[in-house]
Amino acid sequence: MRVIAKRTLKTFWTKHKDCEEQLKTWYKECEEAQWQSPREIKQDYPSASFIEDNRVVFNIKGNKYRIIVKINYHYGILWIRFVGNHSQYDKIDASKI
């Protein structure tokens, strides 16, 4: 998958050093993945949640942080739409971000 944009993750882990390694690992795994469906994501990330409009919520660092992405399976592109902690996540509409 082509992940857009790593800069979003870097900005976040600069402020939240405790999740830097987990975010780097997640990014690398996504870059190497060739997901064609939610089922394939679920095999790699059993705790991933799927919401409307091809959005996926990934739990990072034992669910302390969350990443919301929008995926285009056909073109193999994954857009990072949100990175934040639980309280930030609770304040947004994950299906619209």
Side-chain angles (χ1 to χ4, degrees):
M1 304 295 290
R2 181 170 170 222
V3 180
I4 302 173
K6 188 174 185 178
R7 178 177 8 112
T8 304
L9 297 177
K10 285 182 180 180
T11 300
F12 190 78
W13 77 54
T14 299
K15 295 177 185 175
H16 304 274
K17 298 277 187 202
D18 64 321
C19 64
E20 180 177 354
E21 289 307 312
Q22 290 86 354
L23 291 174
K24 286 179 178 178
T25 299
W26 176 86
Y27 179 85
K28 183 177 185 271
E29 290 172 353
C30 290
E31 282 271 303
E32 293 172 355
Q34 296 179 17
W35 297 316
Q36 296 296 312
S37 70
R39 185 179 94 271
E40 292 178 6
I41 294 173
K42 202 68 160 164
Q43 290 172 346
D44 292 337
Y45 288 93
S47 66
S49 301
F50 300 91
I51 50 182
E52 63 187 69
D53 199 23
N54 285 327
R55 285 177 167 77
V56 183
V57 180
F58 292 93
N59 299 315
I60 303 296
K61 193 163 183 182
N63 205 20
K64 184 174 180 180
Y65 301 105
R66 292 197 168 169
I67 299 174
I68 300 173
V69 301
K70 183 172 179 173
I71 296 179
N72 182 311
Y73 295 100
H74 180 73
Y75 290 105
I77 300 174
L78 182 152
W79 290 274
I80 298 171
R81 308 296 297 152
F82 169 86
V83 183
N85 61 33
H86 245 294
S87 63
Q88 293 166 324
Y89 176 83
D90 290 341
K91 294 176 184 174
I92 63 164
D93 182 349
S95 67
K96 302 218 188 298
I97 197 156

